[in-house]
Every structure is written in C-alpha cells, then in structure tokens.
Amino acid sequence: MSAAEVSRVVIPAAGLGTRFLPATKSVPKELLPIVDVPTIQYIVEEAVRAGIKDVIVVNGRGKVAIEDHFDIAFELETVLRERGKKELYDQLHAISDMTRVVSLRQKQPLGLGHAVLCAASVVGPNPFGVILGDDLIDAEVPAIQQLIDAYRKHGKGVVALMEVPPEEAPLYGIAAGRALDDRTIAISQLVEKPKPGTAPSSLAIIGRYVLPPSIFDVLREVPPGVGGEIQLTDGLAVLARTEGLIGYRFEGRRFDAGDRMGYLRANIHYALKRPELREPLLAYMRTLTNGGGERR
Ligand code: UTP
C-alpha cells in the first residue's frame, strides 16, 4: 500500500442491533446516548481529532435520524437563539460543523464486510479508516490515529487488537502472528468467532481498521461466512495472505456500546469524566455498595 494520506473514514451503522431490542425497534443503536451524547458522535469526534476530512456513514432502514443528527437543526437552533440559550445553541451548531458527513444505504444487513463494500465508490482509490458505529475507545491519542500512524510506519493495512480472556474469544475475530514490536504483529492467521478452546491467540479484533482500497475487490469475491453474512474478517484473512496485514494493540479503554453491559459501563465511565456528574454519581454508587437503596 502506498503511503497516501488517510482522509476518509467509513462508519458502518446499518446493523439491526438485535441485542438492544426493543430500544432499537425505532431508534438506531448508534444514537443511543452515552450520558447525553449519541455513541456515533463520540466516534465522529474521534475521526475529526485524527484529522479525517470525510466521514461516510453506512446506514440502513430506519436510520435516517443519524443523518439528521449531523445536519443543521434549523428550527431548533432558531428557537434556542430566540430564547437566549447561547451555550446550547453553540453546542448543537458545532455538531453540524464538525466535518463533512456523507450517508449512504446498505439496503439489506448482509454483514459488516458487505457494509464496508457499500462505501467503495465514495471511498475512492486511497486507503481509508473504518470505525464501527457502536464501538467506543477512550484514548489520549485517538485510536484511529494510532492505527493511521501504524499504517504510515508499515505501509500495510492495520487492524486494532485487544487482549481478551479465553472464554470471550468466541465472541470476536481472533488474530495471531509474528511480533514486530510490543504493540504490533504481522498477522498470519485470522478466525472469525472461533469455537471454544480453538482460538489461535488471545488477541481480538476491535472495531477500528485502516484498509487499502484493494479490500473492495477482495470483499466482492468473499462468500458468506459465519451467520450467512459477508464477514470483514474473511476479507482481512485474504489480505493477510496476499499483501500482508498488521495488528496493532491500541492504547485506550474500549467499550462495546452495542452490548448492554458494555453500554452501561460506557455510561458510567463517561459520566465520571464529567465534573458536574462525578461526585453525585460516586455518592450514589457508594449507597449501592453499602447495601443501601436509592434515597428519595
Ligand atoms: P454488530 O454485529 O455489532 O451489529 O456489527 P448488529 O448486527 O447491529 O448487532 P446485534 O448483534 O444484532 O445486536 C458491528 C457493526 O457493523 C454494523 C453495525 O451497525 C455495527 O456498527 N453492521 C453490521 C452493518 O453496518 N451492516 C451489517 O450488515 C452488519
């Protein structure tokens, strides 16, 4: 892969979100708030902090609210201005000013690989980032930036890796390979959702990637895999064999906001970072650990 700049990020957000029903019957899971900010806004902010110019959101049926979230809310902004709520107005307006957001449709949820392939014509001929719409990483250096830096260094596609306990390996794509340094491996093996006890390592692929445009040709040929879906991991396995693929153990705290427990953890984590919420929340949690209930 040439060292072309990574200026575009694809955010697949077209999944059905069945783990979060009934909420996701009418609300996209990517818009469920972490405290008061939708998950996908944290993700777009991460891309913006990494200098990304264009964000391409792949959405599906019932997901137009995601587009609206990054658009100008003219009526709402007018009312806030008239009522003198400047701070709220500024906060809202800043969202639509953040970056260029392009939306496109995955007409059927045929899998993550298929969602990425849907963005092919908009991505164009350069390497690009992928950030999953329900996967949060709180890090000093934005996680996608860490991957872009690894791509610049190695000139190959990069996937984010995280150590997971053996019993959780069947929930992830698992990567194994030769260590290049303490954070980086040259991937030689990739398995999507291995059966218990068969994972080739404890390194799980997490929702951040920097990929060469050649992945699109690979994905066009990949047959449906686990769950009848076109799996991105299967495309990555081909890439690892043909062009080489790097795994990078990122620095940062990761939350799977598409999972109920991960979502609750994310809410607590981000709430504790807010000065106005920290003390009241800690005080409330203390009452729980002391065996007490909520005071009214
Ligand atoms: P998940 O497997 O977490 O999403 O996919 P899901 O299918 O929505 O969730 P559950 O398991 O039913 O609760 C990871 C990411 O890939 C996107 C999802 O929106 C999510 O951000 N995705 C998945 C697509 O865009 N299209 C698909 O066909 C599948």
Side-chain angles (χ1 to χ4, degrees):
M1 182 158 44
S2 72
E5 278 308 301
V6 178
S7 66
R8 296 187 170 170
V9 151
V10 176
I11 304 181
L16 295 176
T18 54
R19 285 170 294 164
F20 246 110
L21 283 168
T24 45
K25 185 177 175 196
S26 56
V27 180
K29 71 173 163 180
E30 296 79 8
L31 283 183
L32 295 178
I34 305 297
V35 189
D36 50 10
V37 175
T39 308
I40 196 166
Q41 187 178 323
Y42 288 92
I43 285 163
V44 171
E45 281 169 1
E46 176 183 330
V48 170
R49 281 172 61 212
I52 295 297
K53 303 278 186 299
D54 293 292
V55 171
I56 301 152
V57 178
V58 181
N59 55 34
R61 275 181 67 72
K63 302 249 182 172
V64 282
I66 296 178
E67 256 169 79
D68 289 344
H69 184 73
F70 293 101
D71 200 358
I72 295 175
F74 181 73
E75 302 89 336
L76 192 55
E77 290 185 11
T78 307
V79 172
L80 290 175
R81 237 189 346 235
E82 280 170 6
R83 293 186 185 168
K85 308 228 174 211
K86 184 166 176 345
E87 212 175 301
L88 256 183
Y89 167 84
D90 288 345
Q91 212 182 12
L92 220 63
H93 196 75
I95 300 170
S96 56
D97 262 357
M98 251 183 324
T99 184
R100 276 196 300 259
V101 177
V102 177
S103 292
L104 53 89
R105 277 277 173 126
Q106 182 189 23
K107 289 186 183 155
Q108 278 179 287
L110 298 178
L112 177 57
H114 181 258
V116 171
L117 183 54
C118 287
S121 61
V122 189
V123 166
N126 287 321
F128 62 101
V130 176
I131 310 183
L132 298 195
D134 58 355
D135 210 312
L136 293 170
I137 299 179
D138 186 18
E140 214 161 289
V141 177
I144 194 69
Q145 177 75 63
Q146 298 178 38
L147 264 60
I148 292 171
D149 292 343
Y151 150 72
R152 282 202 189 113
K153 185 166 170 200
H154 298 279
K156 293 194 171 91
V158 184
V159 302
L161 297 179
M162 181 179 89
E163 291 268 357
V164 294
E167 65 275 15
E168 287 182 19
L171 301 173
Y172 293 92
I174 299 291
R178 181 170 53 89
L180 299 176
D181 61 44
D182 57 344
R183 294 211 165 265
T184 317
I185 63 170
I187 295 177
S188 55
Q189 210 185 344
L190 276 175
V191 190
E192 180 63 24
K193 299 193 172 65
K195 298 212 163 58
T198 65
S201 86
S202 56
L203 292 171
I205 302 177
I206 298 303
R208 302 284 183 287
Y209 314 78
V210 174
L211 299 173
S214 53
I215 188 72
F216 295 126
D217 284 335
V218 173
L219 288 172
R220 280 185 196 103
E221 301 295 323
V222 159
V226 175
E229 296 187 340
I230 300 196
Q231 297 289 352
L232 183 58
T233 309
D234 293 341
L236 296 174
V238 175
L239 218 58
R241 275 200 308 276
T242 52
E243 303 180 18
L245 186 67
I246 297 295
Y248 185 80
R249 262 192 330 106
F250 60 91
E251 274 174 280
R253 192 125 187 215
R254 181 258 181 176
F255 302 93
D256 178 2
D259 164 78
R260 285 170 300 183
M261 200 57 212
Y263 179 77
L264 291 171
R265 283 199 197 104
N267 267 286
I268 293 170
H269 173 83
Y270 284 96
L272 288 174
K273 292 181 75 163
R274 298 270 284 266
E276 77 282 15
L277 296 177
R278 186 177 170 81
E279 280 313 317
L281 180 56
L282 281 173
Y284 173 63
M285 291 196 301
R286 265 181 234 117
T287 69
L288 301 179
T289 50
N290 292 341
E294 186 175 359
R295 265 185 297 143
R296 289 175 186 266

